[in-house]
């Protein structure tokens, strides 16, 4: 399994590092059958995260036709609220764009990233895995209308407003689209993918290495809907 993590300016570091370490550990347990790579839609570059002073280096551009999994993290920045400066505008005297999360996501979609996401969704052998606010990227681009997904609790109204079907679950598996809610749920999303693609023994091995047990029920479109 080859997984590419797509970095963009303002990404949340934990959304990347947590699932990356899960998949790296799975590779260690399976003689290197899982490989991970950091990429950005603009190609090889140093990509600043939303945490001051923290950056990761993308080594290449994404290749959705070659990757088995393309991971989209969310953004780390200010939450919008009453009196906040709209994204893209300058605060009085600041001279810099307001770094709120919706603004970071919108700016990420202004470049070549939407094409990368569209290619991943169009390729039947590629799984698009979205951590936290990462599911808002394809949603805001109008690419997952009518599809079940989850995101950080603070972003559910935005997700619903794009036409996606919001599911209140920690991890939502819709086949080639897998999404996870809050920041630490990236661990559980990656463990679910390891279980799904490599089997429970490898997933249990990774849990032992990380001293972390998966949390929550993974939702998928099967079984009866409970009454009431």
């Amino acid at each position: 399994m080859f997984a590419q993590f797509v970095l963009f300016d303002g990404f949340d570091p934990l959304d990347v590092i947590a699932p990356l370490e899960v998949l790296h550990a799975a590779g260690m347990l399976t003689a290197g059958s899982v490989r991970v790579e950091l990429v950005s839609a603009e190609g090889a570059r140093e990509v600043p995260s939303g945490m001051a002073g923290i950056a990761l280096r993308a080594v290449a551009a994404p290749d959705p036709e070659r990757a088995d999994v393309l991971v989209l993290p969310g953004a780390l920045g200010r939450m919008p609220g009453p009196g906040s400066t709209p994204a893209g505008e300058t605060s009085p005297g600041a001279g810099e764009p307001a770094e709120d999360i919706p603004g970071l996501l919108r700016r990420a979609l202004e470049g070549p990233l939407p094409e990368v996401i569209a290619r991943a969704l169009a390729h039947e052998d590629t799984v698009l895995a979205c951590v936290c606010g990462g599911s808002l990227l394809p949603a805001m681009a109008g690419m997952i209308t009518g599809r079940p997904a989850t995101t950080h609790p603070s972003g559910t109204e935005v997700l619903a407003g794009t036409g996606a079907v919001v599911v209140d679950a920690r991890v939502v598996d819709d086949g080639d689209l897998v999404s996870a809610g809050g920041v630490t749920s990236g661990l559980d999303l990656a463990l679910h993918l390891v279980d799904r693609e490599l089997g429970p023994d490898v997933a249990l091995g990774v849990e032992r290495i990380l001293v972390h047990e998966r949390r929550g029920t993974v939702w998928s479109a099967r079984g009866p809907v409970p009454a009431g």
Side-chain angles (χ1 to χ4, degrees):
M1 180 166 62
F2 178 43
Q4 291 187 316
F5 289 74
V6 185
L7 308 178
F8 57 88
D9 292 2
F11 71 90
D12 189 325
L14 190 58
D15 288 0
V16 175
I17 296 301
L20 186 149
E21 187 157 349
V22 168
L23 297 182
H24 175 72
M28 291 171 55
L29 294 175
T30 57
S33 70
V34 181
R35 297 182 297 117
V36 296
E37 186 175 72
L38 299 177
V39 297
S40 86
E42 295 78 18
R45 67 185 181 98
E46 196 83 5
V47 186
S49 76
M51 187 177 294
I54 302 297
L56 293 175
R57 177 151 191 83
V59 299
D63 189 349
E65 290 78 21
R66 187 168 63 95
D68 300 296
V69 180
L70 205 69
V71 182
L72 293 177
L76 179 62
R78 291 196 299 269
M79 296 299 301
S84 63
T85 305
E89 296 183 8
T90 56
S91 303
E96 295 181 356
E99 295 295 325
D100 67 10
I101 290 175
L104 290 167
L105 296 174
R106 278 193 289 269
R107 282 195 288 278
L109 292 171
E110 290 173 357
L113 182 56
E115 180 186 353
V116 171
I117 297 171
R119 286 167 54 198
L121 289 170
H123 195 255
E124 62 179 5
D125 294 327
T126 302
V127 174
L128 186 67
C130 306
V131 182
C132 195
S135 58
L136 295 177
L137 290 167
M140 291 165 65
M143 297 181 190
I144 58 172
T145 301
R147 298 195 63 174
T150 190
T151 190
H152 190 281
S154 65
T156 53
E157 287 188 16
V158 176
L159 185 61
T162 67
V165 178
V166 179
V167 178
D168 183 17
R170 189 167 174 85
V171 177
V172 172
D173 186 334
D174 191 38
D176 64 347
L177 175 66
V178 182
S179 54
V183 184
T184 58
S185 62
L187 290 165
D188 304 305
L189 178 147
L191 281 164
H192 170 64
L193 289 176
V194 170
D195 186 2
R196 195 180 90 167
E197 303 299 327
L198 301 175
D201 285 337
V202 179
L204 285 169
V206 174
E207 288 186 348
R208 285 191 288 269
I209 289 173
L210 299 183
V211 197
H212 172 80
E213 296 179 355
R214 271 187 290 172
R215 293 176 54 198
T217 299
V218 176
W219 181 95
S220 62
R222 58 184 178 84
V225 177

